[in-house]
Amino acid sequence: MASEFQREKLRAMFDAFDADGNGYLEEADFAALAIRWGRLPRVRTETGLAVRVESVMRGWWQQLSAAVDTDEDGRIDMDDLLAMVDLLPSVPDAVTATADTVFDAVDENGDGRISRGEHKRLIDTWHGQVIETGDVFDRLDLDGDGYLSRAEFAALWTQFWTSDDPREPGNLMCGELPHAR
């Protein structure tokens, strides 16, 4: 059962993904999400990466609908999404595969690291709008080297999706939660 913290975190994700604002996640929302991520510079120029990004973004719909759309109406409401919280720890490979694809999509210069600016574009792309990020990157960059390595990114991404501890830095991967702003 999702905690209040997980509910808040997933509400922010739900709002970011609900492209038409109708209060439901539907396949069209994930198609819109794939288009949004497809606009990232590296995704636009690398066909293989574009295919991976589209597959992951649309795959989220397939996984969600198969796992939690129990009434099979093609719509996922917030309660359906909250049911997914209990399932995520059982699919760590899917979470890691998503992290790898998102990492490659936002690593604009292909140097194998995510810079502050690249992370800012991740947050803006995630939300579909410009978001104030403040010191979020500094709180994610635990070793203080100015970058997130692939391993750091994967660990933080996994924390974002599975953590119930508001103090864990991975919960900031997609920006501050509304209560902290």
Side-chain angles (χ1 to χ4, degrees):
M1 186 70 173
S3 70
E4 189 56 38
F5 172 69
Q6 288 169 315
R7 176 179 288 279
E8 180 182 2
K9 188 167 47 170
L10 287 177
R11 169 52 68 190
M13 192 239 36
F14 188 97
D15 292 345
F17 287 13
D18 184 11
D20 60 8
N22 70 352
Y24 295 97
L25 298 181
E26 299 165 302
E27 189 168 10
D29 293 316
F30 289 84
L33 188 63
I35 290 168
R36 193 160 77 206
W37 282 84
R39 292 184 187 124
L40 289 170
R42 190 168 171 202
V43 179
R44 284 195 321 257
T45 62
E46 294 183 20
T47 305
L49 180 56
V51 169
R52 280 177 48 213
V53 166
E54 172 123 3
S55 176
V56 164
M57 298 306 159
R58 289 179 174 263
W60 288 353
W61 167 254
Q62 299 304 323
Q63 287 186 338
L64 275 172
S65 63
V68 297
D69 184 16
T70 55
D71 61 5
E72 298 180 4
D73 65 354
R75 301 182 331 172
I76 295 172
D77 62 20
M78 189 61 190
D79 289 334
D80 292 334
L81 185 63
L82 289 170
M84 191 70 184
V85 168
D86 295 331
L87 301 176
L88 285 174
S90 68
V91 290
D93 292 340
V95 174
T96 301
T98 298
D100 282 341
T101 298
V102 169
F103 183 95
D104 291 338
V106 299
D107 180 17
E108 290 179 15
N109 61 5
D111 68 354
R113 310 178 299 180
I114 301 298
S115 68
R116 178 183 309 276
E118 289 166 335
H119 182 257
K120 168 76 168 105
R121 281 183 283 290
L122 178 152
I123 292 174
D124 293 349
T125 300
W126 177 269
H127 291 278
Q129 61 184 328
V130 175
I131 299 291
E132 177 57 44
T133 59
D135 69 343
V136 164
F137 187 83
D138 296 327
R139 292 162 49 195
L140 293 170
D141 181 18
L142 300 178
D143 64 6
D145 70 353
Y147 297 95
L148 301 178
S149 70
R150 185 176 296 275
E152 288 171 312
F153 187 89
L156 292 164
W157 187 262
T158 299
Q159 275 182 359
F160 175 79
W161 287 105
T162 61
S163 173
D164 188 24
D165 183 351
R167 296 168 299 191
E168 288 189 316
N171 290 308
L172 300 170
M173 278 299 285
C174 299
E176 290 272 10
L177 292 173
H179 83 281
R181 288 189 186 138

